Amino acid sequence: MSAPPSDSPTLGSLLARRDLDLRAAGELDAATLATRVHGVHSSDLADPTPFLAEGLVLLTTGTQFLGADDDSPDFDAYVARLRGRGITALGFGTEVVREGIPRGLDAACRAHGLPLFEVPYRTPFIAVARANAQAIAAEEYARRSWALAAGRALSLAALRADGLAATLDELARQLGGWVGMFDAAGALTHEHPAASLDAATRDDLSAEVSALLRRGARAGSSLHIGSTPFHVQTLGRGGRLRGAIAVSAEVFDREARGVVTTAVAMAGLALEQRQTLAQATAALRAGLAEALLAGESTLVRRVSKPLWGPLGTGAIAIALTDAEAARREDVLQWLESAVAARGGSLFFGRVDDGLLLAAPVGDAVFAELAAKLGVRVGVSAPATLDTAPAALSQARVARERASAGSVAAFAEVRGGLLSVLDDERIGAIARAELEPLLRHDAQHATALVATLDAWLAADTAHEAAARALGVHRHTVRARLALTERVLGVDLSSFAVRAQLWLALRALD
């Protein structure tokens, strides 16, 4: 940010004006001299505070102290009232009522920490007020000029090839502070100056921005993280937020807010343009995912290499997200960032029931995606791009065992093939398949279901089934014959026996 003009409206600038010849009564430290003066007022009232505002410099000739000796308590009471009202400094006009500054007034100002200075007789009070007003006007002009120049600089930056990043960098330079860009998932994607925030502040800021984005409404927010102030402005329309810009700067006045608003508008436009490109990219990725499942892995490698980087040649894992993830902009943005960070070794594309992902075995990207964005992810056993169709089927089975925000691996699916029998739909089909036997057992007190189960468990050996049931083998034969009549099937068929065995397992 441009440096403040030398005649800025501070106490130090006012006292430094040689044409006024103002003289401080004692040494004033740098912080006191830097105190802003919002205006200059004159009054000889014993209590002028009802007519004063905070941040003013008060000028007086001291007629209210006529007849008061240096030990009078009037001085202390007077200065205490001024200090309580927030007066910046007191100027005493000498040689009007008396020569020099009263020692009692000087002592009271020192006791209460109120800066005191002498206004010589030849310096009119109106000249002091005019000097401060000119300084305020000069500062406002300088700030307006800076805002116009900053707006032009931002416009030129936006025309560069890397327009969005260049605009944010220029905003940081103009404000003399830190500027960060967050995507729709709340991840910091760009900052300037780079790595200037400590890790704790960056993490806390990301958490605040993520919470703001989750609310889904356009908003601006001012907050403090530790001693650092930030202003955060979301990007995009309500319900379709694209991300947010966070700014930390020493000065954040009306002009600075106007410059930030300009940058936010430019960033929003750039993101909308990016969205059009993102939609085209998503369509391309979906086409490549379809080609991969059709066995065209060579085509996928050839197209991916110049766009995102070469796909790995080693063992990969195929993952599948839930269908909702494919429609979430924050998920897509996060994955694009992950692709860029990995030099192309990660691939993803939309399929009918979610996002297909391919990454080297051992890459933590699937777990990060699930944990950070609450996505369900199923992961296949180690595979290659050439075996992606079979691996996707494995990932689909594993996904059914994953809960929101978690990853399920196909190798860990309980019970292998039999685990699919836990599905409620399979149970309903199995019960319908065995319903005639269940009804017969209930109406006639038979044990056809138990006999069938024992017989199949004994690999269709009648003798072994009879021992398990504690009956004669002829009883087993008779019950199985009745089972065939009730179900209308031939138990000598392997397919029939396999189907009934699966149905019995589904009922367990």
Side-chain angles (χ1 to χ4, degrees):
M1 182 180 295
S2 56
S6 59
D7 57 348
S8 58
T10 64
L11 181 58
S13 297
L14 191 63
L15 295 177
R17 290 282 296 256
R18 293 185 178 182
D19 57 321
L20 299 179
D21 197 25
L22 307 177
R23 295 184 290 273
E27 294 292 328
L28 299 178
D29 59 31
T32 300
L33 292 173
T35 304
R36 185 176 179 83
V37 177
H38 296 285
V40 176
H41 184 73
S42 61
S43 174
D44 284 350
L45 293 175
D47 183 12
T49 54
F51 311 101
L52 302 178
E54 185 176 354
L56 296 179
V57 164
L58 178 65
L59 305 179
T60 183
T61 61
T63 57
Q64 66 271 44
F65 303 122
L66 287 176
D69 56 36
D70 290 336
D71 296 327
S72 172
D74 293 346
F75 292 115
D76 188 81
Y78 176 77
V79 173
R81 287 192 293 270
L82 297 184
R83 197 59 170 161
R85 190 67 182 89
I87 296 303
T88 297
L90 177 64
F92 192 88
T94 57
E95 301 177 45
V96 178
V97 176
R98 59 177 295 166
E99 295 182 4
I101 298 175
R103 287 195 299 273
L105 182 61
D106 186 19
C109 286
R110 293 176 186 272
H112 289 278
L114 180 66
L116 177 65
F117 62 90
E118 178 184 350
V119 184
Y121 181 79
R122 63 180 178 276
T123 301
F125 282 4
I126 189 63
V128 180
R130 184 184 299 116
N132 178 252
Q134 289 172 345
I136 292 175
E139 182 186 59
E140 291 179 348
Y141 177 78
R143 293 296 291 159
R144 285 195 295 271
S145 298
W146 166 80
L148 290 173
R152 287 194 293 270
L154 291 174
S155 299
L156 291 174
L159 295 176
R160 290 174 47 179
D162 56 341
L164 180 56
T167 299
L168 296 176
D169 292 350
E170 185 62 37
L171 178 61
R173 284 190 288 269
Q174 291 294 329
L175 294 177
W178 177 90
V179 173
M181 173 78 184
F182 295 82
D183 63 19
L188 182 62
T189 58
H190 184 82
E191 62 176 327
H192 188 88
S196 59
L197 293 184
D198 62 85
T201 299
R202 185 171 57 252
D203 291 344
D204 289 346
L205 178 60
S206 295
E208 292 286 349
V209 172
S210 296
L212 188 65
L213 292 171
R214 280 196 298 272
R215 289 198 284 271
R218 290 196 63 185
S221 177
S222 295
L223 53 96
H224 277 76
I225 296 178
S227 60
T228 306
F230 290 95
H231 177 78
V232 181
Q233 178 64 56
T234 58
L235 301 172
R237 301 187 299 274
R240 291 179 58 84
L241 297 181
R242 308 292 190 198
I245 291 177
V247 176
S248 175
E250 292 183 5
V251 177
F252 208 74
D253 55 11
R254 180 180 58 190
E255 287 76 18
R257 285 194 295 272
V259 170
V260 171
T261 299
T262 299
V264 167
M266 291 179 175
L269 177 60
L271 288 177
E272 289 297 331
Q273 292 172 336
R274 276 189 175 186
Q275 181 63 20
T276 302
L277 178 60
Q279 290 173 348
T281 302
L284 174 60
R285 286 190 176 279
L288 290 176
E290 184 177 342
L292 186 62
L293 297 179
E296 299 289 342
S297 60
T298 301
L299 172 65
V300 175
R301 289 184 185 278
R302 188 166 60 247
V303 174
S304 295
K305 184 176 180 179
L307 292 176
W308 306 296
L311 293 171
T313 56
I316 64 169
I318 297 293
L320 183 65
T321 71
D322 52 70
E324 175 63 24
R327 296 187 290 270
R328 288 175 52 183
E329 198 166 311
D330 56 342
V331 172
L332 299 177
Q333 286 189 8
W334 189 91
L335 285 171
E336 288 290 358
S337 297
V339 169
R342 287 165 171 79
S345 62
L346 169 66
F347 172 80
F348 73 93
R350 186 180 66 253
V351 293
D352 291 340
D353 56 342
L355 289 172
L356 178 153
L357 301 93
V361 171
D363 194 320
V365 65
F366 304 143
E368 292 176 11
L369 172 63
K372 291 183 177 180
L373 298 176
V375 175
R376 287 194 305 131
V377 181
V379 182
S380 73
T384 65
L385 286 180
D386 294 330
T387 60
L392 179 63
S393 297
Q394 295 178 359
R396 186 172 285 112
V397 171
R399 184 189 61 181
E400 297 305 314
R401 297 296 180 269
S403 57
S406 70
V407 174
F410 180 75
E412 299 171 356
V413 172
R414 180 179 59 82
L417 287 173
L418 295 182
S419 65
V420 299
L421 299 179
D422 291 341
D423 192 297
E424 182 179 348
R425 293 168 298 176
I426 301 299
I429 295 172
R431 181 166 292 278
E433 185 76 20
L434 298 171
E435 178 59 30
L437 290 185
L438 294 169
R439 185 170 60 251
H440 191 281
D441 283 348
Q443 293 175 353
H444 303 284
T446 53
L448 300 184
V449 172
T451 301
L452 178 62
D453 193 17
W455 180 65
L456 292 173
D459 293 330
T460 69
H462 295 78
E463 190 70 40
R467 284 196 302 270
L469 294 169
V471 298
H472 195 275
R473 65 179 181 276
H474 295 315
T475 302
V476 172
R477 291 181 185 276
R479 290 178 180 176
L480 292 175
L482 179 57
T483 297
E484 288 182 314
R485 293 196 297 274
V486 171
L487 293 179
V489 298
D490 180 5
L491 290 178
S492 66
S493 168
F494 172 80
V496 170
R497 295 198 301 270
Q499 181 168 320
L500 291 174
W501 183 81
L502 287 172
L504 288 167
R505 300 289 73 75
L507 288 180
D508 288 347

